[in-house]
Amino acid sequence: MSELVDFTRNGRVVKARLNRPRQRNALNTQLASELIEGMVALDTDPDVGCFVITGDERAFAAGADIAEMAGMSYADAAARDVFGEWERFAKLRTPKIAAVNGYALGGGCELMMMCDFAIAGEGAKFGQPEIKLGVIAGIGGTQRMTRLIGRSLAMDMHLTGRMMDAAEALRAGLVARVVADDRVLAEATEAAETIAGYSKPATMLARDAVNRAEEGSQAEGLLFERRIFHSLFATRDQKEGMQAFLEKRAPEFHGT
């Protein structure tokens, strides 16, 4: 049973709420384990169509748990492969949306960037302030942020440790949407319900195709996309989706 992550399921949407309010949802080992294990267990469930990850009104997640790391040596960090477990979260194939209020800093910003997209409140703040602690981002922040917002702005964020407000994050491409603070979870839930209503094989493969654009040449990406497109003609959902379009009715997808 999870203590630091509250999982709720409504239809095909699963919400995971980080629950360390006194620590502003800092990502310690226990929280990471509960979040990752809980979501991995649901990832292959055909009846789960989308995840929403959120925190509270003060913080999505204000970083990794510094108290847990401060006394580590290099040998400790390397032997434990600190933060290596987050690759399992990043590789989840079910679409995941970050619903962000308040602070998304350090590991919290990295958690958001491991989601497929983010919906943020107008008062949200983002940053990678690890440089102020004598370290750098360790859960993919230098890599994912550069791909999302470009080299120059990523350098600014990582080298100065400054915070970015929601308006700048939207302009830069760090988040997909900005809404009123009290609408964040509702907007993310609506988006998740829309995604969960589609064919799960199609949404999973759409993620694969979009992610492939960052990993190779355009020619390789175009071929990968085309082969994925071809493969979906082997699914029952493709037949249903196209037949429903021709019959001018809503499709009934089955995830097969």
Side-chain angles (χ1 to χ4, degrees):
M1 183 173 179
S2 296
E3 296 179 6
L4 302 182
V5 181
D6 297 329
F7 287 97
T8 57
R9 184 167 177 170
N10 186 7
R12 291 174 53 80
V13 174
V14 172
K15 297 178 187 176
R17 182 184 291 275
L18 311 186
N19 187 24
R20 291 189 78 203
R22 291 184 180 179
Q23 296 81 18
R24 296 193 179 185
N25 296 324
L27 308 177
N28 68 354
T29 300
Q30 181 182 346
L31 187 153
S33 177
E34 290 181 11
L35 180 64
I36 295 165
E37 295 301 332
M39 291 180 66
V40 166
L42 293 166
D43 190 40
T44 56
D45 185 337
D47 293 324
V48 174
C50 195
F51 292 113
V52 175
I53 298 89
T54 193
D56 57 39
E57 65 279 359
R58 294 173 63 234
F60 176 71
D65 194 321
I66 305 305
E68 199 173 60
M69 296 185 291
M72 285 187 191
S73 66
Y74 164 75
D76 293 333
R80 298 178 196 178
D81 192 22
V82 173
F83 297 152
E85 71 273 15
W86 285 106
E87 284 304 303
R88 297 174 66 205
F89 178 91
K91 290 177 180 177
L92 292 168
R93 299 192 69 202
T94 302
K96 45 194 185 295
I97 301 171
V100 181
N101 281 111
Y103 295 105
L105 304 177
C109 191
E110 291 169 297
L111 172 60
M112 180 194 77
M113 291 189 289
M114 283 187 282
C115 295
D116 295 306
F117 63 91
I119 296 175
E122 293 170 332
K125 302 286 186 182
F126 309 88
Q128 298 290 163
E130 291 89 348
I131 200 75
K132 298 178 181 180
L133 304 176
V135 292
I136 67 168
I139 317 179
T142 61
Q143 305 304 298
R144 292 187 177 93
M145 184 174 280
T146 303
R147 285 173 167 80
L148 284 169
I149 68 176
R151 177 184 179 276
S152 183
L153 189 50
M155 283 287 194
D156 178 11
M157 298 298 292
H158 284 276
L159 292 178
T160 69
R162 73 176 179 90
M163 286 193 290
M164 177 185 287
D165 65 19
E168 184 181 3
L170 181 63
R171 291 195 303 271
L174 188 63
V175 302
R177 310 181 197 175
V178 172
V179 300
D181 289 336
D182 61 1
R183 281 287 304 161
V184 171
L185 189 56
E187 190 94 359
T189 300
E190 289 171 14
E193 288 171 347
T194 297
I195 293 167
Y198 298 139
S199 166
K200 187 166 182 178
T203 60
M204 290 193 304
L205 291 172
R207 289 187 65 259
D208 290 347
V210 172
N211 287 331
R212 188 62 172 256
E214 297 178 335
E215 297 169 357
S217 69
Q218 184 175 21
E220 291 169 338
L222 290 169
L223 178 60
F224 182 80
E225 177 191 84
R226 195 158 62 250
R227 294 295 182 250
I228 290 293
F229 173 74
H230 296 161
S231 74
L232 285 166
F233 281 77
T235 66
R236 179 184 176 190
D237 283 345
Q238 173 269 327
K239 302 296 185 290
E240 167 63 13
M242 292 192 175
Q243 192 61 38
F245 176 83
L246 294 173
E247 294 173 1
K248 297 181 171 54
R249 60 175 174 83
E252 296 182 13
F253 293 121
H254 300 278
T256 57

